[in-house]
Amino acid sequence: ECDWSSDVCSSDLELFLPWSAQKERSRIFDTCEVLEERTEGEGTFIRVRGESEDVQKLSAYFVKPSK
């Protein structure tokens, strides 16, 4: 079992979910603890905490590229 106060097994990440991908929300909520959500013009930013491996997998799909 993971101790969320420890950095050993958890990672925090902000994901970006565009409006066209909102059906993927359940994947995020099933995988990680959602810490914060906020909506902006193009979609939703969701800050999550989860096991490092799970967070890395989600980041491959849902991290908004830097400009």
Side-chain angles (χ1 to χ4, degrees):
E1 178 148 329
C2 194
D3 174 5
W4 293 116
S5 63
S6 167
D7 289 336
V8 173
C9 61
S10 66
S11 294
D12 288 10
L13 180 70
E14 183 170 86
L15 305 172
F16 177 73
L17 196 59
W19 298 125
S20 61
Q22 291 296 310
K23 64 184 176 211
E24 298 292 334
R25 288 172 59 86
S26 63
R27 182 176 179 185
I28 294 169
F29 279 77
D30 290 346
T31 306
C32 295
E33 174 187 3
V34 174
L35 303 173
E36 177 186 10
E37 279 187 84
R38 72 180 191 285
T39 58
E40 292 189 8
E42 298 176 13
T44 304
F45 288 91
I46 303 173
R47 193 164 59 91
V48 299
R49 177 176 293 149
E51 292 191 30
S52 295
E53 183 178 318
D54 293 332
V55 170
Q56 288 174 1
K57 287 178 186 176
L58 289 173
S59 72
Y61 294 103
F62 301 116
V63 172
K64 188 171 185 176
S66 301
K67 290 184 179 180

